[in-house]
Amino acid sequence: MIPVLSAFFFVGQRCSRHVANSFRTAILTVPDAQNCSVTKPLIRSLSNWASTFGYAGEPAASSGTRHAVGLFGRPELTRPEDWQRLADETEDRCDMLLAEVLDTAPEDGVEVVALIDEMSDQLCRTYDAAECCRNVHSDPRWRAAAGKVCVQLGEYISRVNHHEGMYQRLSGALAAYESSLAALEKRETPRLGPRQLAGWCRESVMVAHKLKQDMEQAGVHLSSESHRARVAELAAANGHFGAAFNTALTDPSKVGRVRIALGRSASLEPSNVAALMVSEPDEQVRKKIYMAAGKSPACNQHLLEDMVATRWELARVQGYPSYAALRMAGGSLARTPGAVVAFLEQLAADVRPMAEQELQALRRLKAASSDPSPSGATIHAWDVEYYAARARQLLITSQPSAVLRYTVVPSVLTGIRHLLWRVFRMEWRISEAAPGEGWAPGVLRCEVEHPELGPLGVVYLDLGDRPGKYPTAVTFPITCGREVPPTRGGGGRQLPVMALLASASGTCPTTGKPAMSYRELRVLLHELGHCCHNLLSRTKYQHLWGTRCAQDIVEVPSHLFEYFASDPRVMAVLARDRSATAAGADGAMEDGEPLPEGLLKELVAGRSVTAALELQQQLVLSLVDQWMFGEQPPGGPYAEVNASVGTPEGTSARATTISEIWRQGTSPELRVGHLTIYGGAYYGYVYARCLAAQLWRLTGLAEAPLDPVAGNLVRERLLGPGGSLEPLDLLAGLAIGRAAGTSLGSTSDPAAAAAAAATAAGATPGAVAVAARQRRLEPWQVARLRQRGLDKALASPAEGGFLQALQGGFAPRSEPYLELIRAGRGGA
């Protein structure tokens, strides 16, 4: 999961989330390196894995090779009080940059874009890091200090988003560029000279349009001062719903407990509820827990109602019919809520027969139970997970702990290191975080490099279990990747920094070391997909970096990575019992005993036993999300707003409460944090599943999952562009085929463009390489190549098409994913 922090353009839609001496903060940059030397990756100083993950109750010891540094490797963050100073300094730097923006003229062109993106980066470096800290740090003082900074910078961002002077400079620069292009087409004298026009590239134009659109979504263009002020107020409130909602889920005092028997009670924390739904044999106890959890935490009910009302009004004041429409207006594959709903309803109809078969199988299990239920063989909501677990037990003949021999954490990390090297040529060096660098015992630091691209960035791994830990697996951005302009003393790249949180809740039965369940390993691969998306993104601007792409594309790489967990060739690398090898965690890929292929088949089959029912649940949540953030959302707070803003002719606000959607006396939405983070865009998960099933085959990974040729295609066409290509262009490039080279990028990239053109003409791989060195594509050639890709993507399934046009937008074809479910390989 990638947290989406706010709708402010400075804090990026995908935050998963230097002027003179003022820019001497700890910014991590490197020169562009095509031939830098790199050492082989190591896992250093991790001999005592129990203490590393804090199981001994003590902080992780230093490796001895790194000195104490600040939080996230930033020397300026050594104590909670530093957050306030850092926030104040960030505002000062951004004020200086704003002054530079206001001093520009339209003829300065792309420099305006660069300055605003610089402001965005400065704010994100502090806001994203603070957002991560307030969600993950084990010390409440750090969380509180970071939370205050998020509020402070959120208010600053809101003010800057409504700065008319900056909006006018950006609009003027973009208008000067576009009018000059129009003049050239008419063979008239353009406003901008050749050198000024040459400064603009495809990515610069895209960023300029997105920045302008984001500012307009903040209301800066509204003629009414009262409307501008109201949008600012609403946007500021909208930026904090997600954090408050998810924080309540980890607060024992807010989730509460339920009495389930004489002298027995149970915590309603999400992880405990999930465990009891699977393991508790007494149906009445399961029902009590389910019903109590479905009304907890009560505070989230008010948060959710306020959030829906705020987002609805935010969209309406800006002229959008709904918040979902506003979210899709920023550049998405779906484009319209109508396309999304049509896709979801069709997929729901297609999967229903398979879901009914799975439900019938669960009924038979319940009917055969040795302790018949008073409700007979009816499957209730509190029965699904329990009997699904029983169905998995019938398929998996091995002991539940059998897999833990092969998924000891250091061995898994060794396997991941080899996998990412084989497929993407990424080299991971893993060590313990230095004192003060991490936020909890056992945090690991991973430095990542590529033999051609050079250093790629840093990923912090938090795999230990502890009370109060963030409730779900997640990747938090801390520093964005981008080019550092030479005018700012750079000329290289700012390296991204991320925090990946996942779980390793098991224990190896032979060594006693922390180990992962099969599900936890799959979730780790999912989050690694997000990390690799960010690490391998090569965008010029941070505004388009990595996961800051379209909302219905962002989850595609992570779902693609999940397929590694189902392939025996990959699992033979990832899951091995290396305990008997002398090299231990630093051993070779083939060291140790691999996970038996028969056990993997059982695990995959067990995971898929209720795949159709689980997909149905995702479809319900996606449709509820479209209703909650649609034109007529549920709830009662809309009467006054309708009166002031107006309602569509022939319609009226609904009085139905959000909880009444479920019609069962509970409020499951109180625990679905993704509905706050991905409001109006939750459908992206279902889109991603269907697209990933297509791309697994299209890229060649299904045929050869360890093939670097397939990995290079994924790197260059899916991961590298980040958000610098519109979704249709990104997918058109993938549709052309694995032999076509790289993405449909800028015409200023002769290697990428010529390779694609040569392949489109039927050239051999050798000829493609020659063409890449010698040719440059003309714009008409790029347009023709793009159309060829679109035609292939939108072709019929029999002809290899994987997209469909629906109600003014686009959606993936679902047939391949449904085929996987039918074959028992589509589990979530």
Side-chain angles (χ1 to χ4, degrees):
M1 182 186 81
I2 290 288
V4 183
L5 301 182
S6 77
F8 302 130
F9 78 84
F10 286 127
V11 187
Q13 290 287 330
R14 298 298 161 202
C15 302
S16 122
R17 263 175 94 168
H18 317 295
V19 179
N21 293 334
S22 298
F23 297 101
R24 291 178 181 170
T25 54
I27 182 171
L28 183 60
T29 63
V30 295
D32 288 325
Q34 296 298 323
N35 299 298
C36 68
S37 61
V38 294
T39 59
K40 295 301 293 180
L42 301 173
I43 298 182
R44 301 193 299 262
S45 304
L46 298 178
S47 57
N48 188 342
W49 281 82
S51 62
T52 295
F53 284 108
Y55 289 97
E58 300 176 356
S62 169
S63 64
T65 60
R66 303 184 65 236
H67 300 292
V69 296
L71 184 64
F72 307 139
R74 296 185 181 181
E76 67 270 26
L77 286 174
T78 60
R79 52 184 189 146
E81 295 78 13
D82 291 337
W83 278 118
Q84 185 60 57
R85 176 183 50 78
L86 182 59
D88 294 340
E89 291 176 353
T90 298
E91 291 189 9
D92 291 341
R93 288 194 295 271
C94 290
D95 285 342
M96 296 172 66
L97 287 165
L98 178 59
E100 288 193 55
V101 171
L102 298 178
D103 197 38
T104 62
E107 291 71 23
D108 292 322
V110 74
E111 178 63 17
V112 178
V113 178
L115 286 168
I116 297 178
D117 190 72
E118 183 80 34
M119 288 180 66
S120 178
D121 183 67
Q122 285 295 309
L123 284 163
C124 285
R125 279 178 53 80
T126 302
Y127 190 107
D128 288 355
E131 180 70 15
C132 179
C133 178
R134 76 167 171 174
N135 279 285
V136 307
H137 210 291
S138 59
D139 188 331
R141 297 173 302 162
W142 278 91
R143 294 198 303 270
K148 291 179 181 178
V149 163
C150 288
V151 173
Q152 174 184 332
L153 289 181
E155 294 172 351
Y156 179 87
I157 290 167
S158 181
R159 293 196 301 272
V160 175
N161 274 344
H162 292 83
H163 198 291
E164 294 184 44
M166 186 171 70
Y167 176 71
Q168 291 169 357
R169 300 305 187 280
L170 176 63
S171 300
L174 188 57
Y177 169 74
E178 291 178 337
S179 66
S180 295
L181 289 186
L184 288 173
E185 290 180 358
K186 298 176 182 178
R187 299 185 181 277
E188 298 174 354
T189 302
R191 180 177 180 180
L192 302 181
R195 294 186 64 183
Q196 294 167 320
L197 280 171
W200 289 85
C201 67
R202 175 186 53 80
E203 196 172 325
S204 301
V205 176
M206 188 177 192
V207 170
H209 277 290
K210 287 186 176 294
L211 289 171
K212 183 172 181 286
Q213 183 181 52
D214 288 343
M215 292 191 74
E216 289 173 352
Q217 288 187 354
V220 68
H221 67 303
L222 297 176
S223 57
S224 167
E225 183 176 346
S226 62
H227 278 178
R228 289 198 301 272
R230 181 57 177 160
V231 169
E233 180 184 353
L234 293 168
N238 188 38
H240 304 290
F241 285 123
F245 189 98
N246 286 292
T247 297
L249 290 173
T250 61
D251 188 338
S253 66
K254 292 182 178 178
V255 295
R257 301 182 67 87
V258 59
R259 175 178 286 185
I260 55 180
L262 184 63
R264 183 185 175 198
S265 66
S267 167
L268 294 177
E269 292 182 76
S271 59
N272 192 54
V273 171
L276 288 170
M277 287 295 100
V278 169
S279 62
E280 176 55 55
D282 188 323
E283 180 180 353
Q284 293 307 308
V285 171
R286 290 199 307 273
K287 179 180 179 180
K288 282 185 179 181
I289 295 170
Y290 179 88
M291 298 300 290
K295 300 174 183 177
S296 163
C299 60
N300 278 359
Q301 182 71 57
H302 302 293
L303 275 173
L304 201 59
E305 291 173 353
D306 290 346
M307 180 186 66
V308 169
T310 296
R311 292 177 174 179
W312 184 82
E313 185 182 356
L314 183 63
R316 295 300 297 273
V317 171
Q318 297 178 68
Y320 291 91
S322 67
Y323 186 73
L326 184 152
R327 288 292 305 272
M328 295 178 201
S332 64
L333 179 63
R335 297 190 178 181
T336 69
V340 171
V341 172
F343 167 77
L344 296 173
E345 290 180 342
Q346 180 59 54
L347 183 52
D350 291 341
V351 79
R352 182 171 182 175
M354 287 183 282
E356 289 178 343
Q357 290 177 2
E358 293 177 355
L359 196 60
Q360 184 60 33
L362 298 186
R363 290 192 191 103
R364 288 195 295 268
L365 276 178
K366 187 173 183 180
S369 171
S370 59
D371 183 18
S373 165
S375 62
T378 301
I379 294 293
H380 300 285
W382 49 85
D383 293 326
V384 174
E385 292 301 323
Y386 179 79
Y387 286 102
R390 306 290 81 76
R392 283 190 289 271
Q393 288 174 352
L394 294 176
L395 291 171
I396 303 175
T397 58
S398 304
Q399 291 294 321
S401 61
V403 70
L404 302 178
R405 273 188 57 205
Y406 306 93
T407 57
V408 175
V409 171
S411 181
V412 167
L413 293 181
T414 295
I416 286 172
R417 179 167 63 87
H418 289 302
L419 170 66
L420 296 179
W421 167 251
R422 283 280 299 271
V423 181
F424 299 111
R425 292 297 185 258
M426 300 172 73
E427 303 196 42
W428 289 59
R429 295 199 302 273
I430 307 175
S431 62
E432 296 175 71
E437 188 177 15
W439 52 89
V443 172
L444 305 177
R445 174 188 172 95
C446 308
E447 297 179 18
V448 189
E449 298 187 8
H450 188 279
E452 296 175 2
L453 302 176
L456 297 178
V458 172
V459 178
Y460 291 101
L461 288 178
D462 182 354
L463 305 179
D465 283 345
R466 60 181 178 275
K469 184 179 178 181
Y470 195 82
T472 60
V474 65
T475 298
F476 283 98
I478 296 171
T479 302
C480 300
R482 64 172 183 134
E483 290 182 7
V484 180
T487 55
R488 301 289 167 189
R493 291 197 65 83
Q494 174 174 293
L495 300 183
V497 180
M498 290 152 279
L500 189 164
L501 280 72
S503 294
S505 61
T507 301
C508 175
T510 57
T511 66
K513 293 182 178 180
M516 293 182 160
S517 68
Y518 179 59
R519 181 184 180 279
E520 289 170 339
L521 174 57
R522 197 174 70 254
V523 169
L524 176 61
L525 288 169
H526 178 104
E527 296 303 326
L528 281 171
H530 287 310
C531 288
C532 290
H533 196 179
N534 287 331
L535 291 167
L536 292 170
S537 174
R538 310 303 288 175
T539 58
K540 180 176 182 179
Y541 299 100
Q542 65 87 32
H543 196 72
L544 302 176
W545 164 73
T547 50
R548 292 186 172 183
C549 57
Q551 62 195 19
D552 39 23
I553 294 294
V554 67
E555 292 290 337
V556 173
S558 55
H559 280 77
L560 188 66
F561 270 54
E562 286 192 42
Y563 281 95
F564 285 131
S566 301
D567 192 287
R569 294 160 292 185
V570 177
M571 288 297 286
V573 175
L574 290 178
R576 300 182 76 91
D577 180 0
R578 295 180 170 90
S579 60
T581 61
D586 295 323
M589 183 174 67
E590 299 82 6
D591 284 348
E593 175 191 348
L595 178 76
E597 193 166 331
L599 177 55
L600 176 60
K601 288 180 180 178
E602 290 182 355
L603 292 169
V604 173
R607 179 168 68 96
S608 304
V609 72
T610 55
L613 285 171
E614 195 279 333
L615 176 57
Q616 268 197 336
Q617 182 184 33
Q618 292 301 308
L619 291 169
V620 168
L621 289 172
S622 298
L623 287 166
V624 167
D625 176 60
Q626 289 300 304
W627 185 21
M628 284 171 55
F629 300 107
E631 293 186 30
Q632 292 290 302
Y638 305 101
E640 295 182 9
V641 178
N642 280 325
S644 61
V645 180
T647 58
E649 185 177 351
T651 66
S652 60
R654 297 181 185 180
T656 307
T657 65
I658 296 172
S659 296
E660 287 176 357
I661 295 171
W662 309 98
R663 299 179 182 177
Q664 59 182 15
T666 61
S667 304
E669 73 279 1
L670 302 184
R671 290 176 168 247
V672 186
H674 286 46
L675 291 179
T676 67
I677 297 173
Y678 285 105
Y682 190 83
Y683 72 92
Y685 276 94
V686 183
Y687 263 47
R689 289 188 186 190
C690 295
L691 285 170
Q694 302 267 16
L695 297 182
W696 180 249
R697 297 191 299 187
L698 180 67
T699 59
L701 286 171
E703 179 184 351
L706 299 174
D707 182 10
V709 175
N712 193 56
L713 176 63
V714 172
R715 176 175 71 85
E716 292 186 336
R717 293 188 145 197
L718 180 63
L719 307 180
S724 66
L725 289 176
E726 294 293 349
L728 270 183
D729 291 339
L730 185 81
L731 295 174
L734 284 160
I736 290 175
R738 63 184 299 189
T742 54
S743 63
L744 296 177
S746 168
T747 57
S748 64
D749 182 353
T759 305
T764 65
V768 170
V770 173
R773 292 193 296 268
Q774 296 179 348
R775 295 186 53 195
R776 180 187 297 268
L777 282 186
E778 297 296 330
W780 67 268
Q781 291 174 303
V782 173
R784 186 173 67 179
L785 195 61
R786 176 182 181 273
Q787 188 59 51
R788 178 171 174 257
L790 289 177
D791 290 342
K792 291 194 68 173
L794 290 167
S796 68
E799 297 173 309
F802 58 90
L803 293 178
Q804 56 182 321
L806 286 173
Q807 297 195 18
F810 300 91
R813 294 191 181 276
S814 58
E815 291 88 346
Y817 182 57
L818 292 175
E819 289 175 12
L820 290 175
I821 293 179
R822 291 189 190 98
R825 296 175 52 214

